[in-house]
Amino acid sequence: MQLEQAINDRRSIRGFTDQPVPKELLEEVIALANRAPSSMNTQPWHLHVLTGAPLERVRKGNTERMLGGVTPTRDIEDYAEYEGEHRKRQIEIAVQLFEAMGIERHDAERRQDWVMRGFRQFDAPVSIVVCFDRSLLNNTIAHFDTGAMTYGLVLAAWDKGLGAVINGQGIMQSPVVREVAGIPDDQVILTCVALGWPDPDFVANSVVSRRRPISNVTRFLGFENEG
Ligand SMILES: Cc1cc2nc3c(=O)[nH]c(=O)nc-3n(C[C@H](O)[C@H](O)[C@H](O)COP(=O)(O)O)c2cc1C
């Protein structure tokens, strides 16, 4: 029952209090995430947990380069623009967030401000940079495995009262992150997780994203009452 509640209640958190997160609590969360299954138990992931001065340097470097027009540089092959149904869902969540925040469609300044917050990892007190072994860069299963671990991470964080948002924005300028965090060359930066204590007054934290009904994502075969 507790797992069901955690899965149903968890949502991405994009506004945090200034309260620091104890290292011991982060270790507990990571120990839970580290129980994730992986192909042949290969456990290809590595986590780099940043707070304080190094995190500020990452935010600054990422933001300055994005503002300066430096082309985003990810370690993994980046998606093209989403199209069709994926684009529709992307817009739907953006609309939900902007409506909650009271950001009007044509308010370029506040929209830009929101994007900037993303580049700063929503000013979270902690960022966990999620990597995996470069030797498995072209092995899609390693991406899958690391993703499974990352979902465990945000769920475990939620269970402890922490909020998190998995985000690509914070590592758009991956070379900055690599340099500041001293991430070795044999690891690929996949994504990052901004994490901290949810700010109860930050309205976007209440946004509940929608899901397709399971009938749209699932087929059952060989069941007696199918069809
Ligand atoms: C791989 C990945 C990357 C994401 N990148 C961002 C991001 O850059 N900025 C952001 O605000 N949210 C980001 N998100 C959060 C998604 O927008 C969010 O998970 C989705 O809208 C569903 O909402 P929920 O997490 O509240 O259920 C990302 C999520 C994932 C899994």
Side-chain angles (χ1 to χ4, degrees):
M1 278 309 280
Q2 281 170 348
L3 177 65
E4 190 173 325
Q5 193 181 351
I7 289 174
N8 277 325
D9 288 356
R10 184 214 59 85
R11 52 194 186 272
S12 288
I13 293 298
R14 298 181 176 86
F16 304 89
T17 70
D18 292 337
Q19 201 186 333
V21 183
K23 188 171 165 234
E24 296 70 30
L25 188 58
L26 291 166
E27 284 171 340
E28 281 178 37
V29 166
I30 291 166
L32 289 166
N34 201 36
R35 293 299 309 165
S38 58
S39 172
M40 317 254 177
N41 203 21
T42 42
Q43 307 169 57
W45 49 77
H46 301 270
L47 301 174
H48 304 264
V49 188
L50 279 67
T51 192
L55 178 52
E56 289 310 321
R57 285 210 296 283
V58 165
R59 288 196 230 281
K60 192 163 178 281
N62 196 50
T63 305
E64 279 175 2
R65 283 172 57 128
M66 289 309 292
L67 274 177
V70 180
T71 310
T73 316
R74 297 282 300 267
D75 283 3
I76 51 167
E77 207 171 304
D78 218 348
Y79 49 79
E81 295 285 306
Y82 285 123
E83 292 173 6
E85 289 301 310
H86 302 129
R87 176 77 180 144
K88 268 194 213 159
R89 289 181 207 130
Q90 180 188 3
I91 291 171
E92 186 183 43
I93 186 63
V95 167
Q96 277 185 273
L97 288 167
F98 284 170
E99 268 177 7
M101 293 295 293
I103 302 174
E104 302 284 344
R105 200 153 183 250
H106 300 291
D107 191 340
E109 201 177 313
R110 289 196 64 204
R111 288 173 79 105
Q112 170 74 356
D113 182 58
W114 181 262
V115 173
M116 288 293 124
R117 289 177 55 88
F119 293 148
R120 297 197 308 271
Q121 300 190 44
F122 302 94
D123 300 320
V126 173
S127 169
I128 303 183
V129 182
V130 177
C131 301
F132 66 91
D133 292 312
R134 188 178 294 280
S135 58
L136 300 175
L137 178 59
N138 297 321
N139 182 332
T140 317
I141 297 170
H143 301 226
F144 174 96
D145 292 339
T146 309
M149 182 280 299
T150 307
Y151 182 42
L153 187 75
V154 296
L155 264 188
W158 188 265
D159 188 51
K160 306 276 181 203
L162 290 162
V165 59
I166 304 168
N167 70 98
Q169 282 176 291
I171 47 118
M172 281 289 186
Q173 300 287 348
S174 285
V176 168
V177 185
R178 182 176 296 283
E179 194 192 319
V180 172
I183 296 174
D185 285 340
D186 63 359
Q187 294 178 23
V188 169
I189 300 174
L190 181 64
T191 192
C192 70
V193 178
L195 184 144
W197 302 104
D199 178 351
D201 298 325
F202 190 74
V203 282
N205 285 348
S206 321
V207 168
V208 177
S209 57
R210 301 191 185 102
R211 294 294 185 275
R212 289 179 286 161
I214 70 152
S215 57
N216 282 18
V217 300
T218 318
R219 288 176 64 232
F220 291 96
L221 294 100
F223 290 83
E224 276 173 18
N225 57 350
E226 94 197 39

